Amino acid sequence: MNVFLVLVLVAAVVMVGLLALAVAGRTGFAAPLSEPVRALPPVLLPPVPEAGDVDALRFSPGLRGYRMDQVDEVLETLSGALAERDAEIARLRQRAGRIPGESADDVV
């Protein structure tokens, strides 16, 4: 009786292992399972992104996922860089409007 129980348990562990390999797509015969399903819309930024666009950006986690701390750090850096760029552009536009001898119509 004990030998039969051990054989059943070993067979169950082997089946679970094979199933896990098949789902992970590492067996070679489960190639269709390894392709991700593209049911979600792509995550896009507008052609001219602003800091608020990056702050509102959200990625969908996948089966294997992504390092959220890395993505969050990159997005935070990008958001800060865009905010600095926008502030510099606004400062330069203000300064360009105050150049003596130039009319407001010449400033774009």
Side-chain angles (χ1 to χ4, degrees), residues 16 29 32 41 47 65 74 80 101:
V16 169
F29 64 83
V74 168

Side-chain angles (χ1 to χ4, degrees), residues 41-46 49-61 66 68 71-76 78-79 82:
V43 178
L44 300 175
L45 285 173
E50 296 179 358
D53 296 326
V54 176
D55 289 338
L57 189 62
R58 298 292 177 260
F59 294 98
S60 301
Y66 57 89
M68 288 195 284
V71 173
D72 291 343
E73 182 179 344
V74 168
L75 291 177
E76 187 175 311
L78 179 60
S79 177
L82 289 172

Side-chain angles (χ1 to χ4, degrees), residues 30-96:
L33 295 177
S34 64
E35 291 298 319
V37 177
R38 306 274 185 216
L40 298 172
V43 178
L44 300 175
L45 285 173
V48 181
E50 296 179 358
D53 296 326
V54 176
D55 289 338
L57 189 62
R58 298 292 177 260
F59 294 98
S60 301
L63 178 63
R64 294 184 182 149
Y66 57 89
R67 295 279 312 263
M68 288 195 284
D69 57 334
Q70 291 176 343
V71 173
D72 291 343
E73 182 179 344
V74 168
L75 291 177
E76 187 175 311
T77 302
L78 179 60
S79 177
L82 289 172
E84 287 177 21
R85 181 206 63 186
D86 291 344
E88 179 70 12
I89 290 171
R91 187 183 64 77
L92 290 173
R93 284 183 177 165
Q94 280 182 341
R95 193 170 79 183

